[in-house]
Amino acid sequence: AAAVKRQKEDVALAAKKQTEEAAAAKQQKVNDAAAAKRKKIEELDEKTKKQKEETKKQKEEVAAAAAAAKQQILDDAAAAKLEKTKKAVAVKRQKDHVALAAKKKKEEAAAVSAAAKQQK
């Protein structure tokens, strides 16, 4: 009877141990699944962060390119204005030079005419 009782206790103990092991295995599986899920979320977060940084970098590059293009337009306009001014100054100088030469010729002609009159 004692041996039977002992055998029953051993069976009960073994069953209890098996149940505990099954519960522990199940808990481990749940823990592993949760860890895998956390890892996946972290990977997605990292990927999202990288994409945001890349997008920000691209926006900055586009803004820099736009600013450079705008500056180039302003530079070109300033250069064109300067060129126009230089041409206008050159044309005015030419006109002044022609007018001065004409005035000199007129004065010379008047002087020659006066000298001719005096000789008469």
Side-chain angles (χ1 to χ4, degrees), residues 68-88:
K70 186 176 180 182
Q71 189 59 50
Q72 187 61 50
I73 290 169
L74 293 174
D75 291 349
D76 291 350
K81 189 174 182 181
L82 181 65
E83 202 54 43
K84 192 176 177 184
T85 304
K86 281 183 182 176
K87 283 182 182 173

Side-chain angles (χ1 to χ4, degrees), residues 33-84:
K37 197 172 187 179
R38 273 195 305 275
K39 187 177 179 189
K40 188 149 186 125
I41 289 170
E42 286 171 7
E43 287 171 357
L44 286 172
D45 285 348
E46 189 63 31
K47 192 175 179 184
T48 302
K49 185 180 173 187
K50 281 184 183 174
Q51 284 177 338
K52 281 182 181 177
E53 287 171 1
E54 187 61 32
T55 301
K56 184 180 176 187
K57 187 178 168 188
Q58 287 174 348
K59 281 182 182 177
E60 288 170 356
E61 287 172 358
V62 168
K70 186 176 180 182
Q71 189 59 50
Q72 187 61 50
I73 290 169
L74 293 174
D75 291 349
D76 291 350
K81 189 174 182 181
L82 181 65
E83 202 54 43
K84 192 176 177 184

